[in-house]
Amino acid sequence: MPFKSHDSYPFCQTKCALQSFAEKKKCCGTYFPSTFFPTPPLSWIVFIISAKSFSPVMAKRHLSLKDLATELNISISTVSRALKNHPDISPEITKKVQDLALARNYTPNPLAMGLLKQETRMIGVIVPDLVTHFYSSIISGIEEYAKSRGYFILLASSYESMEREIESVSNLLKARVDGMIVCLSKETDRFDHFLRLIENEIPLVFFDRLCLTDRVPCVAIDNKDAVEKIIRHFHEGGYRRIAFISGPTHLNISHDRVAGYLSGLQKAGLDFDPCLLRPCNMLVEEAIQITDDWLALPEPPDAIFGINDRIIFEVMKELRNRGIKIPEEVGVIGFADEFHATFSTPQLTSTMHPTREIGIKAAELFFKKMEDPEFVETVVLQAKLVVRESSVRSL
Amino acid sequence: MPFKSHDSYPFCQTKCALQSFAEKKKCCGTYFPSTFFPTPPLSWIVFIISAKSFSPVMAKRHLSLKDLATELNISISTVSRALKNHPDISPEITKKVQDLALARNYTPNPLAMGLLKQETRMIGVIVPDLVTHFYSSIISGIEEYAKSRGYFILLASSYESMEREIESVSNLLKARVDGMIVCLSKETDRFDHFLRLIENEIPLVFFDRLCLTDRVPCVAIDNKDAVEKIIRHFHEGGYRRIAFISGPTHLNISHDRVAGYLSGLQKAGLDFDPCLLRPCNMLVEEAIQITDDWLALPEPPDAIFGINDRIIFEVMKELRNRGIKIPEEVGVIGFADEFHATFSTPQLTSTMHPTREIGIKAAELFFKKMEDPEFVETVVLQAKLVVRESSVRSL
DNA sequence: CTGAAAGCGCTAACAA
DNA sequence: TTGTTAGCGCTTTCAG
């Protein structure tokens, strides 16, 4: 195997590996210091099994075009062209190159490509939290579609905090994502960080909790309709004093659901009692407090529904603690059907959101926005009311 | 503001943007084609609101060192050095550069850095699924620790399939992650794809479901102990025929839990009845089938626990359907406490896993492995038995 | 104390 | 048909 004298291929590899190892040891500049995480108090750790270690082998660098070129004794650009079936390259060389690439399991270095093309093929995704089924299911949908287009997901959580949302946007920007798909945190009531993205023409898509809908493609749920369905269902079941635990008032989802509450009551011919509409910040304690307040009313509600299942599960617990029967005395309905809604007793009626579709659609809009910077559109998906035990009085 | 004649800075920008737009239109090589995702049948979509669009503005490139250098009329290397407080650079220039960088919100391009340093500061994370609380909570832990070290998470799901796990490994490798943190899919019984990583010295950490523990750092739960606790608790509560729905036999977690089942029974002085130990593939139908089988036994079990909460919720549903009282007639305990265990009636006794700690510890081990390629260690964390209603007979 | 130049892996215009 | 070269943004020798 001939090597050019100034290259000395196999030894070069070893040297590079050693070099890069040495470089890592050196701690460099202080201008962008990496803050170190203090060792967390892991009271759970009990014992540690140490295993035998193996003798170190030199780390293998990923294969580059140069490696292939050297091995075949042709130029890098020929290899590059051969790999993409460039018509200029002779069939024999093309075949030889492609065979070797396959055999050596060559994959192009995305960093080099990214530097050249000014793109990372990564989409930043920011969700309020990672642990709610609603979001993780949407992430699944985004991931699936993105993967099919050869893109990766860079995931960030805002933990429902606007501050951390801003930080996440900035971090993803530092990582040079090609764009972002975002669900606002519950606190978010300023949008400067997103306006910056828009001004810089960085593709952006919102889902579920939206803002700036006249400039950003969005995927939303028809919240108004979903709530109207709930009211109608309650009304048909003979419930008359329908109470609603809503969300933070600045969120579009709260706004739309309240609108649905009002119009739903009106359509059903029911009076609106302001006492029975309470916003909350999605905290467990609030749910309990509000339930307490309602039960203390001279005319307590006979039906309760809320901004999400989590809140409603707490309401159910509170009702059960007081010996109030569901659904006989009080009907209950959740929102954004978690998969465990069927595990409660009684099983929880809830609106089911097409979460995977939300994710897929959001990703779809994202790619449209990439291709056409002027593209703006809000896609509205319908939620389904899934009737179970908690809202149906047996006759 | 003086520009070098061959550079013509502001116009260059415009040209670049136009160029890159033109480039995107061109579809290049066929050797690595990007498969296109067929438009999915989104039956949920109902209507689309089109919004007014805005006039296009030229996309702004991220700021580079060159931009700063040009603006200050100094060389790129001086800027680079000034930004990292290199002692050679005069304080005045250092200050001038840093001020401008701050004002312009400069961030170094990670692609360029990555290319140079041969690292992406990205960790690939593969989990069996994204939507289970157990995994998303662990991901949260990993993300938190990784972020504190300036690393990003590139997320992939194996969807419990070995094939997709292998594909994910390969995809993450293509993305040039610096290493991976993995929980095996339930199908995984061959490990070639991980051996390849090990041979190439790519840092790897397993959590929960492990393999190759003599070469890879791992974070595990003390499954044997967790199950022994369950048996002891059942035994103390007067339960005698304790049945166990286990997982796929090739997984370490199943193996350890079965070991705990046997030793637990022995310690409690109870006989082992092979009928009461059934493996399953974590499917809902299996849970129902197994429950049916057990109830048909001449001596049915008076206590049931299983590989995870999901399975056990199904068992509970099945028992309830048959009018069997929990916990009076049959005691029930879950595994890997999902946060909604308290939402069921009766509330589910379950083993609680320190999920965030698992994630944080896995990330910690990952960085240790990065620093020391010979590092191998299995950290074992303890699970807690959280006693609720489903396993306690009232007196 | 500062600048020029090489090189990380790749593509594409330009030369041969 | 193939090779040479410049350049994407950055760091780091080596020269001034």
Side-chain angles (χ1 to χ4, degrees):
Chain A
M1 191 68 53
F3 295 106
K4 291 180 191 159
S5 63
H6 66 280
D7 210 326
S8 64
Y9 169 70
F11 311 98
C12 168
Q13 248 188 338
T14 307
K15 197 178 132 234
C16 289
L18 283 172
Q19 262 179 354
S20 106
F21 185 72
E23 272 165 23
K24 270 182 197 151
K25 289 285 155 194
K26 241 190 273 180
C27 197
C28 49
T30 54
Y31 187 64
F32 296 106
S34 71
T35 55
F36 271 68
F37 195 76
T39 307
L42 285 181
S43 54
W44 298 74
I45 302 185
V46 176
F47 55 92
I48 282 174
I49 307 166
S50 277
K52 62 181 164 160
S53 54
F54 285 73
S55 62
V57 186
M58 212 42 66
K60 282 167 202 155
R61 191 170 37 79
H62 280 276
L63 219 62
S64 73
L65 286 188
K66 192 174 166 188
D67 298 326
L68 298 181
T70 313
E71 189 159 345
L72 292 170
N73 231 345
I74 55 179
S75 81
I76 296 174
S77 41
T78 304
V79 176
S80 169
R81 280 183 281 233
L83 284 182
K84 26 176 54 81
N85 287 324
H86 197 287
D88 280 357
I89 304 296
S90 72
E92 309 84 63
I93 290 204
T94 299
K95 175 149 181 25
K96 224 167 46 176
V97 170
Q98 293 193 3
D99 285 351
L100 185 68
L102 220 57
R104 290 275 189 284
N105 201 9
Y106 167 82
T107 59
N109 185 326
L111 278 74
M113 296 278 283
L115 196 55
L116 201 63
K117 293 257 173 62
Q118 297 284 45
E119 62 172 26
T120 51
R121 305 201 130 235
M122 293 193 311
I123 308 173
V125 175
I126 307 178
V127 289
D129 73 74
L130 261 28
V131 298
T132 302
H133 181 263
F134 179 72
Y135 296 116
S136 37
S137 171
I138 290 175
I139 292 171
S140 259
I142 297 176
E143 196 241 17
E144 177 175 323
Y145 188 90
K147 194 168 72 174
S148 75
R149 303 278 295 244
Y151 277 69
F152 284 94
I153 297 301
L154 213 51
L155 196 60
S157 170
S158 64
Y159 298 93
E160 294 282 19
S161 137
M162 177 159 74
E163 192 191 338
R164 297 189 73 160
E165 178 179 283
I166 294 173
E167 188 193 325
S168 291
V169 168
S170 145
N171 278 335
L172 291 175
L173 229 36
K174 280 186 198 154
R176 298 296 196 267
V177 292
D178 289 344
M180 301 186 199
I181 300 178
V182 179
C183 177
L184 301 180
S185 91
K186 71 179 182 191
E187 292 177 6
T188 304
D189 52 4
R190 292 196 322 270
F191 314 116
D192 323 22
H193 45 309
F194 296 119
L195 283 170
R196 249 197 326 271
L197 296 185
I198 296 171
E199 278 160 22
N200 286 24
E201 292 248 313
I202 293 171
L204 177 63
V205 170
F206 290 117
F207 66 89
D208 198 51
R209 303 178 187 167
L210 324 172
C211 64
L212 308 170
T213 50
D214 54 343
R215 309 184 64 179
V216 179
C218 293
V219 182
I221 282 296
D222 195 341
N223 285 290
K224 184 155 175 271
D225 177 76
V227 172
E228 284 183 358
K229 279 176 185 155
I230 290 175
I231 305 268
R232 193 179 331 126
H233 170 71
F234 269 143
H235 184 245
E236 285 167 6
Y239 295 98
R240 288 298 175 262
R241 285 188 53 75
I242 303 168
F244 176 29
I245 304 182
S246 176
T249 47
H250 57 274
L251 289 181
N252 68 304
I253 51 172
S254 306
H255 187 265
D256 293 353
R257 288 173 202 179
V258 167
Y261 180 63
L262 298 176
S263 62
L265 288 178
Q266 196 173 27
K267 284 182 186 172
L270 295 172
D271 285 338
F272 165 58
D273 179 349
C275 293
L276 298 186
L277 172 59
R278 291 276 297 267
C280 83
N281 215 7
M282 310 199 212
L283 301 175
V284 166
E285 311 83 64
E286 292 174 301
I288 296 169
Q289 181 60 51
I290 292 173
T291 310
D292 281 359
D293 291 352
W294 278 340
L295 292 177
L297 287 178
E299 268 190 288
D302 60 1
I304 299 176
F305 73 101
I307 191 84
N308 63 37
D309 280 6
R310 195 80 176 261
I311 290 292
I312 283 302
F313 277 129
E314 292 304 325
V315 170
M316 285 172 80
K317 256 203 258 180
E318 188 63 16
L319 291 175
R320 198 183 308 141
N321 287 345
R322 291 158 169 267
I324 294 172
K325 289 210 162 52
I326 308 170
E328 290 77 10
E329 298 177 64
V330 176
V332 168
I333 296 185
F335 217 96
D337 197 55
E338 298 286 325
F339 73 97
H340 51 264
T342 62
F343 297 147
S344 68
T345 316
Q347 294 187 17
L348 182 64
T349 295
S350 190
T351 56
M352 190 164 93
H353 292 206
T355 45
R356 275 184 55 78
E357 282 79 2
I358 295 175
I360 291 174
K361 198 69 203 169
E364 241 181 81
L365 294 189
F366 178 84
F367 284 100
K368 278 201 190 165
K369 182 71 178 177
M370 291 257 286
E371 282 152 23
D372 172 13
E374 298 188 52
F375 173 77
V376 180
E377 189 174 293
T378 295
V379 175
V380 179
L381 307 183
Q382 295 299 99
K384 262 184 197 154
L385 184 66
V386 180
V387 177
R388 298 199 187 86
E389 299 164 353
S390 68
S391 64
V392 182
R393 287 170 174 153
S394 46
L395 297 178
Chain B
M1 190 67 53
F3 294 106
K4 289 179 193 162
S5 61
H6 66 278
D7 209 324
S8 65
Y9 170 71
F11 311 97
C12 167
Q13 247 187 341
T14 306
K15 198 175 132 239
C16 291
L18 283 172
Q19 260 179 355
S20 104
F21 185 71
E23 274 166 19
K24 270 181 198 152
K25 290 286 155 196
K26 240 189 280 179
C27 197
C28 47
T30 55
Y31 187 65
F32 297 105
S34 71
T35 56
F36 271 68
F37 196 75
T39 308
L42 284 181
S43 55
W44 298 75
I45 301 186
V46 177
F47 54 93
I48 281 175
I49 307 165
S50 277
K52 62 183 163 162
S53 55
F54 286 75
S55 62
V57 187
M58 210 45 64
K60 283 168 200 152
R61 191 168 40 76
H62 281 276
L63 220 63
S64 74
L65 285 188
K66 192 175 166 189
D67 298 326
L68 299 181
T70 314
E71 188 159 344
L72 292 171
N73 230 344
I74 54 178
S75 81
I76 296 173
S77 38
T78 304
V79 175
S80 170
R81 279 183 280 235
L83 285 181
K84 26 177 50 81
N85 289 323
H86 196 288
D88 279 359
I89 304 297
S90 73
E92 307 85 63
I93 290 204
T94 300
K95 178 154 180 21
K96 224 166 46 175
V97 170
Q98 293 195 4
D99 285 352
L100 185 69
L102 220 56
R104 290 275 187 283
N105 202 9
Y106 166 82
T107 60
N109 185 323
L111 278 75
M113 296 278 284
L115 197 54
L116 202 62
K117 292 257 174 62
Q118 299 283 46
E119 63 170 28
T120 51
R121 305 202 131 234
M122 291 192 314
I123 307 173
V125 175
I126 307 178
V127 288
D129 74 73
L130 260 29
V131 299
T132 302
H133 183 263
F134 179 72
Y135 297 117
S136 38
S137 172
I138 290 176
I139 292 170
S140 258
I142 296 176
E143 196 241 19
E144 176 176 324
Y145 189 89
K147 195 168 74 174
S148 75
R149 301 277 295 242
Y151 277 68
F152 285 94
I153 297 300
L154 214 52
L155 197 59
S157 171
S158 65
Y159 298 94
E160 293 282 17
S161 136
M162 178 160 72
E163 192 191 339
R164 298 189 73 162
E165 179 179 283
I166 293 173
E167 188 194 325
S168 291
V169 168
S170 144
N171 278 336
L172 291 175
L173 229 35
K174 279 185 198 155
R176 300 292 197 269
V177 293
D178 289 344
M180 301 186 197
I181 299 177
V182 178
C183 178
L184 301 180
S185 93
K186 72 179 181 191
E187 292 177 6
T188 304
D189 52 3
R190 292 196 321 271
F191 314 116
D192 323 22
H193 45 307
F194 296 119
L195 281 170
R196 253 201 319 277
L197 296 186
I198 296 172
E199 277 159 21
N200 286 26
E201 293 248 311
I202 294 171
L204 176 64
V205 170
F206 290 119
F207 66 88
D208 198 48
R209 302 179 188 167
L210 324 172
C211 65
L212 308 170
T213 49
D214 55 343
R215 308 184 64 179
V216 179
C218 293
V219 182
I221 281 295
D222 193 341
N223 284 291
K224 183 155 176 271
D225 177 77
V227 172
E228 285 183 358
K229 279 177 186 157
I230 290 177
I231 305 269
R232 194 180 329 132
H233 170 71
F234 268 143
H235 184 246
E236 285 168 4
Y239 296 98
R240 289 298 174 262
R241 283 188 53 77
I242 303 168
F244 175 29
I245 303 182
S246 177
T249 47
H250 58 274
L251 289 181
N252 68 303
I253 52 173
S254 306
H255 187 265
D256 293 353
R257 287 172 204 179
V258 168
Y261 180 62
L262 298 177
S263 62
L265 287 179
Q266 195 173 27
K267 284 183 187 173
L270 294 173
D271 286 337
F272 165 57
D273 179 350
C275 294
L276 299 185
L277 172 60
R278 291 277 297 267
C280 84
N281 214 8
M282 309 200 212
L283 301 175
V284 166
E285 312 84 64
E286 293 174 299
I288 296 170
Q289 181 59 51
I290 292 172
T291 310
D292 281 0
D293 292 352
W294 278 340
L295 293 177
L297 286 177
E299 268 190 288
D302 60 0
I304 299 177
F305 73 101
I307 190 88
N308 63 36
D309 280 6
R310 195 82 175 260
I311 290 293
I312 282 302
F313 276 130
E314 292 303 326
V315 170
M316 286 173 80
K317 258 203 257 181
E318 189 62 17
L319 291 175
R320 200 184 306 142
N321 287 345
R322 292 158 168 265
I324 294 172
K325 290 213 163 47
I326 308 169
E328 289 77 10
E329 298 177 64
V330 176
V332 167
I333 298 184
F335 217 98
D337 196 54
E338 297 287 324
F339 74 96
H340 51 264
T342 61
F343 297 149
S344 68
T345 317
Q347 294 188 18
L348 182 64
T349 295
S350 190
T351 55
M352 189 165 96
H353 291 204
T355 46
R356 276 183 58 77
E357 280 79 3
I358 295 175
I360 291 175
K361 198 67 204 173
E364 243 181 77
L365 293 189
F366 178 84
F367 284 101
K368 277 201 192 164
K369 182 72 177 175
M370 292 257 286
E371 283 152 23
D372 172 14
E374 298 188 50
F375 174 77
V376 180
E377 189 173 292
T378 295
V379 175
V380 179
L381 307 183
Q382 294 301 97
K384 261 184 201 159
L385 183 67
V386 180
V387 177
R388 298 200 186 87
E389 299 163 355
S390 69
S391 65
V392 181
R393 288 170 172 154
S394 47
L395 298 178

